[in-house]
Amino acid sequence: LYDLRFSLFNIGRATISFTDTFNCSSYIRAEAKSTGISRFFFTIHYLYDCCMNTSSGLPERITRSLLENDFYVYNEVKFDHHAREDSTILYSQLSGKKVVPKDILDILTGFYHFRKSHIEKCARDKKDIVIRTYFTDKIWDLRIRYEGRETIHTMFGELSCYKFKPETVIGRFFRHDDDMTIWISDDEYKIPVRIHLNLKVGAIKGDLMGYKRVYSKEYTVKSIQ
């Protein structure tokens, strides 16, 4: 659970979850929406989710829903990783059938694999990690740059973190390709504890407010140290 702030004002909440469901072996969901008085000035509800095959780590189905005041876009994409040996076939509601590189990821599974397998390697080698994904209905090379370690002040106390800059898509929200910064805890949990976005309308800061483990029955704010 993340608290989103614009300058001194609380403008929304964001959540990221990883669970099992009855029709999906691993379900990843990222959601952000405006809350409180900010909804009277600017309404946004962004939902991106993915059904990931636990065995292969590949996406099977993704959906993207974006509501921004009167602007709305929705798309669902299904992945066929088995029909062809040399490539993957996509079925997009917006753009139809496409043939893309074999075993391509989406943006959520891309970050999942980065967090699981590449953080320490990226920090050790001090080289960009590039993960080929399918995002916003096109092939997108997710490039993540290591910015060093930094100790930041959070509601959990002082935390030592890895600092990364994922490349952003220039267009509707961002002016530059380095307008996002993420701090990930430098411990066994590798939890994203802070995100900073330089948007066209101003800067938004998101801080971790609470989390729960996948198999925990209760939801509480817990220390991650």
Side-chain angles (χ1 to χ4, degrees), residues 61-184:
R61 175 188 54 80
I62 60 175
T63 63
R64 176 174 176 261
S65 173
L66 174 62
L67 172 66
E68 182 185 321
N69 289 337
D70 296 329
F71 174 80
Y72 178 71
V73 63
Y74 175 86
N75 193 27
E76 179 177 338
V77 180
K78 295 181 179 179
F79 294 74
D80 184 349
H81 300 284
H82 309 291
R84 299 174 59 126
E85 293 184 358
D86 62 342
S87 55
T88 292
I89 301 176
L90 302 180
Y91 301 90
S92 166
Q93 285 188 0
L94 292 181
S95 59
K97 180 180 176 180
K98 294 183 178 181
V99 178
V100 298
K102 185 67 175 176
D103 295 338
I104 196 168
L105 301 173
D106 74 304
I107 198 74
L108 290 181
T109 53
F111 273 111
Y112 169 81
H113 286 287
F114 171 74
R115 177 174 172 265
K116 182 179 180 181
S117 305
H118 297 295
I119 286 180
E120 293 180 355
K121 182 179 185 299
C122 187
R124 182 183 67 247
D125 298 342
K126 295 179 174 59
K127 293 182 179 179
D128 294 358
I129 293 293
V130 180
I131 301 173
R132 178 146 290 188
T133 71
Y134 191 78
F135 181 56
T136 62
D137 221 26
K138 61 183 179 182
I139 296 174
W140 168 254
D141 284 340
L142 173 62
R143 180 179 296 274
I144 302 176
R145 185 172 72 244
Y146 176 62
E147 293 281 301
R149 285 181 169 86
E150 184 176 332
T151 299
I152 62 173
H153 179 73
T154 74
M155 67 174 297
F156 305 103
E158 300 290 325
L159 294 181
S160 176
C161 295
Y162 297 101
K163 183 179 178 181
F164 295 100
K165 275 190 174 292
E167 187 173 345
T168 47
V169 180
I170 299 174
R172 184 172 184 84
F173 298 108
F174 301 104
R175 297 183 187 274
H176 310 100
D177 61 8
D178 62 349
D179 282 338
M180 176 186 295
T181 307
I182 297 177
W183 288 262
I184 299 176

Side-chain angles (χ1 to χ4, degrees), residues 5-57:
R5 303 188 71 84
F6 182 88
S7 185
L8 300 176
F9 303 98
N10 184 302
I11 61 169
R13 290 291 173 93
T15 58
I16 302 174
S17 61
F18 185 95
T19 58
D20 298 332
T21 66
F22 71 94
N23 61 350
C24 181
S25 54
S26 293
Y27 178 67
I28 309 174
R29 175 188 175 101
E31 183 177 21
K33 56 184 177 180
S34 51
T35 59
I37 195 171
S38 66
R39 291 177 295 178
F40 293 99
F41 304 98
F42 190 80
T43 299
I44 186 170
H45 188 183
Y46 179 81
L47 175 62
Y48 193 99
D49 65 4
C50 170
C51 182
M52 182 182 75
N53 184 291
T54 304
S55 299
S56 67

